[in-house]
Amino acid sequence: MPVLIMLVCAVAVAVGGWNLWNERTQSHPPGILASAAPYQKNLARPIDLPRSGYRLEARAEFEITARVISRSRFRFDPMAHFMPVDFALGWGRMSDSAVLDRISCSQSHRFYACNWDSLDIIHPDEFRTHSANMHMIPDTPKIEEALLRVRRGQVVTVRGLLVDVFLPDGSGARTSMTRDDSGPGGCEIILVVGLDVS
């Protein structure tokens, strides 16, 4: 029994150490890291993409290069088995440490929020149009592994499709199709087919 307890403790320490290592933040000096707005090309009509246990409808081609402001891993919500991670992404001044070091951001229940105490830091309209919480659906196990290795502060280029999600019980989620919305329905849902990290 003592040997088993020691083994369990050793595994727990190893897992905890890996989580801390994987959650470390990549820091940057002041300066905009991702200047371009996301690219989106709407499809003429939705494309049906059946999956095992759920269905997707592709709405647009999509590519974004942005800084990872925050990331949130999901294991237990109804979509966690195919949508395992969300990235809060920022571009323009929302990729600049001169701004991000002066605001506090968090993710919870598939949403993202930031707080700051002065309009001199960034105007709420610019925050809303230059950052977003995006739900990631990996197209392959290899892409899922890569998504789960992404850390806060890294700059990522995500390529794929904006999709709506439909579950067998009639529930689901619809992707945002614009960068100037917020609140429920304001998150992009991306079927990720390519990922670069720097």
Side-chain angles (χ1 to χ4, degrees), residues 82-124:
F82 62 87
M83 193 190 293
V85 65
D86 285 5
F87 294 158
L89 298 176
W91 56 96
R93 291 182 64 228
M94 283 299 293
S95 69
D96 188 348
S97 293
V99 172
L100 296 178
D101 287 349
R102 300 175 66 193
I103 66 180
S104 175
C105 298
S106 63
Q107 288 171 287
S108 180
H109 304 293
R110 300 279 186 183
F111 288 96
Y112 145 75
C114 294
N115 296 294
W116 61 98
D117 55 15
S118 172
L119 290 178
D120 293 336
I121 299 173
I122 193 164
H123 192 277

Side-chain angles (χ1 to χ4, degrees), residues 13-188:
V13 169
V15 171
W18 166 252
N19 285 339
L20 287 174
W21 176 257
N22 197 46
E23 291 294 333
R24 70 197 189 284
T25 299
Q26 182 168 316
S27 60
H28 299 276
I32 291 174
L33 300 179
S35 58
Y39 165 80
Q40 178 175 322
K41 181 180 179 182
N42 294 345
L43 302 178
R45 61 183 60 84
I47 298 174
D48 194 46
L49 301 172
R51 293 291 198 266
S52 178
Y54 63 100
R55 183 173 63 84
L56 303 176
E57 278 190 2
R59 304 282 307 282
E61 298 174 6
F62 189 74
E63 182 173 327
I64 181 172
T65 297
R67 179 173 176 167
V68 180
I69 299 170
S70 181
R71 64 184 295 279
S72 186
R73 175 80 159 93
F74 297 91
R75 293 179 175 84
F76 304 112
D77 83 8
M79 300 187 189
H81 64 289
F82 62 87
M83 193 190 293
V85 65
D86 285 5
F87 294 158
L89 298 176
W91 56 96
R93 291 182 64 228
M94 283 299 293
S95 69
D96 188 348
S97 293
V99 172
L100 296 178
D101 287 349
R102 300 175 66 193
I103 66 180
S104 175
C105 298
S106 63
Q107 288 171 287
S108 180
H109 304 293
R110 300 279 186 183
F111 288 96
Y112 145 75
C114 294
N115 296 294
W116 61 98
D117 55 15
S118 172
L119 290 178
D120 293 336
I121 299 173
I122 193 164
H123 192 277
D125 288 344
E126 187 175 4
F127 161 79
R128 178 172 51 83
T129 58
H130 288 77
S131 70
N133 189 64
M134 302 195 181
H135 310 317
M136 303 290 156
I137 302 176
D139 189 46
T140 67
K142 184 176 180 180
I143 290 176
E144 180 171 3
E145 292 174 5
L147 286 169
L148 295 179
R149 287 196 300 268
V150 170
R151 308 192 328 261
R152 289 189 304 271
Q154 290 185 311
V155 176
V156 297
T157 297
V158 178
R159 295 179 296 277
L161 297 167
L162 293 181
V163 295
D164 295 334
V165 179
F166 301 92
L167 300 181
D169 65 2
S171 63
R174 294 192 179 274
T175 184
S176 168
M177 295 290 287
T178 178
R179 309 292 85 79
D180 62 0
D181 52 1
S182 61
C187 297
E188 287 72 14

